[in-house]
Amino acid sequence: QVQLVESGGGLVQAGGSLRLSCAASGIIFSINDMAWYRQSPGKQRELVAVIRRSGITNYLDSVKGRFTISRDNAKSTVYLLMNSLKPEDTAIYYCKSIMGSQAYWGQGTQVTVSS
């Protein structure tokens, strides 16, 4: 079955960095678009970054220049490098695989940024 397993979350001070990883299994990773979403309490889940199977990337405006999404098809893993973290980046971060109408979610990893 399909599994997306996120890791790398934690507690960090404002200005710090974290790298999230999402390891996928049960899908043909290289032909999926991969995305990172986040959700904080009382807010809707929002798209943070996406990397197409072509390698093209897009970012939420508020993270442009601070976050970098990348993928390693050989390891079936997508990454999110987060620099210059701010308290408003605090959320549960989820990865998602997308291929046409088929999409799968990971269980999420908590990121907490203290001021």
Side-chain angles (χ1 to χ4, degrees), residues 24-44:
S25 59
I27 60 172
I28 305 173
F29 184 83
S30 62
I31 63 173
N32 276 260
D33 296 339
M34 298 299 297
W36 286 98
Y37 284 73
R38 68 185 180 189
Q39 188 168 22
S40 48
K43 294 187 177 180
Q44 286 191 330

Side-chain angles (χ1 to χ4, degrees), residues 31-113:
I31 63 173
N32 276 260
D33 296 339
M34 298 299 297
W36 286 98
Y37 284 73
R38 68 185 180 189
Q39 188 168 22
S40 48
K43 294 187 177 180
Q44 286 191 330
R45 192 172 295 191
E46 62 180 355
L47 175 63
V48 175
V50 60
I51 183 165
R52 309 292 179 188
R53 60 184 184 178
S54 64
I56 293 173
T57 58
N58 292 98
Y59 296 92
L60 181 68
D61 282 348
S62 62
V63 308
K64 283 180 182 176
R66 300 189 298 122
F67 290 12
T68 303
I69 189 170
S70 60
R71 63 191 297 160
D72 185 336
N73 289 340
K75 295 183 178 179
S76 297
T77 300
V78 61
Y79 304 98
L80 186 68
L81 176 61
M82 306 185 293
N83 294 322
S84 303
L85 281 161
K86 304 176 180 180
E88 51 264 42
D89 295 317
T90 294
I92 299 174
Y93 284 71
Y94 299 89
C95 79
K96 181 181 181 182
S97 66
I98 308 147
M99 189 179 70
S101 61
Q102 212 168 44
Y104 299 97
W105 292 91
Q107 83 289 348
T109 186
Q110 176 71 47
V111 171
T112 303
V113 184

